[in-house]
Amino acid sequence: MPQISYVSADGDTTVVTAEVGDSVMSAALRHGVAGIIGECGGNNSCATCHVWVRDPFRGLVGQPGDLEADIIDLGVAEPRDCSRLGCQIILNDELDGLVVDVPPTQY
Ligand code: FES
């Protein structure tokens, strides 16, 4: 089962053991990770699940699709090259150890 670390803006880290097939967003919500909202329920339309993916996992996680990239450009406060929507990152064993930063705000 993949372990995911969510690092808050003030440096607090919440480590979650997720299920294969969870998304970064759904695992966060189930474990009460602060700062991940997931307002649209994972439908790639609200951008309230924005995270910054740390190296060396950026390559494994991959780039956002076209719609996701548009949502990031239009909907997040601080888009970066490592921005992804947590609901669009589906977890597998390869992503065990993934570290993501949670932005200080989702709006
Ligand atoms: Fe809405 Fe991810 S939960 S875009």
Side-chain angles (χ1 to χ4, degrees), residues 6-14 33-35 52 54 100-105:
Y6 300 83
V7 184
S8 72
D10 58 10
D12 289 340
T13 301
T14 304
V33 175
W52 296 309
R54 287 198 185 178
V100 297
D101 290 290
V102 179
T105 179

Side-chain angles (χ1 to χ4, degrees), residues 25 37-50 71 85-88:
M25 180 276 286
I37 299 168
E39 196 168 278
C40 75
N43 287 315
N44 200 12
S45 60
C46 73
T48 63
C49 59
H50 177 218
I71 299 288
L85 298 180
C87 67
Q88 301 303 301

